[in-house]
Amino acid sequence: MTATNEQAPIKKALSHIRVLDLSRVLAGPWCSQNLADLGADVIKIEKPGAGDDTRAWGPPFAKDANGNATSEAAYYLTTNRGKRSLTVDIATPEGQALIRELIPHCDVVLENFKVGHLKRYGLDYESVKAIRPDIVYCSVTGFGQTGPYAPRPGYDFLIQGMGGLMSITGQRDDLPGGGPQKVGVALVDLMTGMYSTVAVLAALTHRDRTGEGQAIDMALLDVQVAMLANVGSNFLTSGTVPQRWGNDHANIVPYQAFACSDGHIIVTVGNDGQYQRFCEVGGQAELASDERFATNPLRVKNRAVLVPMLEEMVKRKTKQEWIDQLEKAGVPCGPINNLQEVFDNPQVQARGVAIDVPHPTAGAVKLVRNPMQLSETPCDMSKAPPLLGQHTEEVLREVLGYDAAKIAGLKDKGIV
């Protein structure tokens, strides 16, 4: 057998799928990036001369070899890896006709326009279904396709407030700094993108089995309420409106952040044995034997008495001393890292979470890899987020068979 240095091509789970991506900003593009990482051919439709709004959402921007800022904002880079950018002015009849011409060649349409907006362009689900009956058509909106709020625009921050997340996030009202807080990233958008990914894959599997396409109606508000998980279930079961607990836990004590002599740690005591060892490491075994704190229900009942004593105990050691000693004692704990510490963390580095992807103007851009690790069909993250219109000619030639003259004519008219 002759030795060879050639690597076998990566097997891609969705290499047979093409996605027409009419979405922009975050929730929709997060879904289509997942599909692209899994091997789908994602054609990102963007407005000529402007593109996705997030291209300009900086600084920071990626930098070229000379250290000068490119036109690609870090925000845009984080959610558009692996796609092909095709510029089309869908506000024009010619642009709408071009999109309709692409539909027979696509398996999925993803859009996040306001409810009813695409109908006037002949690009709503019923119109698209008439062109390709087995299409999977995923709509992402703030409030869904039905209900009294359906026409409203939806934004992550607003939905975090309306959907209850901010009512349980933040310090208690009776403590300094108390009040509602949003989460530090656009969590509702991201989770909507993830739920949309699952829904699209489920619809494709159904189509594979039956030949039947379908419409998917994704709403940020629906996702936000679903994300409340046990907190929402607790309310539905008890009728008691939950409060904010800051970094504390409503049902477990101690399960919170503590200030050490030089920083903060998180201690997550899950049972009475761990609590006893926590106190022993802190040199205060008597807090474990105290009948007021012997069991978790008692610790929850008496948290106002116990927690200040634990806070004083934790202040006597450094962050690293606590982590080393608690890990040895089998008590779950960890630091509160800033982003520099996160990407310097040996576990994060060992898992290859940060990746360098070749980029046509920046040389390379640093991105975070997709966390899905599949043994046989790994994610392909080798293609950088595209420049605006980078693949316009390529897609029109390859998918629609346009020649150079036809493409030039469309460019002259500002259609592409």
Side-chain angles (χ1 to χ4, degrees), residues 216-230:
I216 300 169
D217 177 7
M218 296 299 307
L220 270 66
L221 183 61
D222 294 357
V223 170
Q224 167 62 95
V225 177
M227 284 168 50
L228 295 175
N230 61 294

Side-chain angles (χ1 to χ4, degrees), residues 151-167:
R152 296 185 184 182
Y155 297 91
D156 180 278
F157 191 6
L158 295 177
I159 302 298
Q160 286 196 35
M162 295 180 68
L165 183 60
M166 289 177 64
S167 77

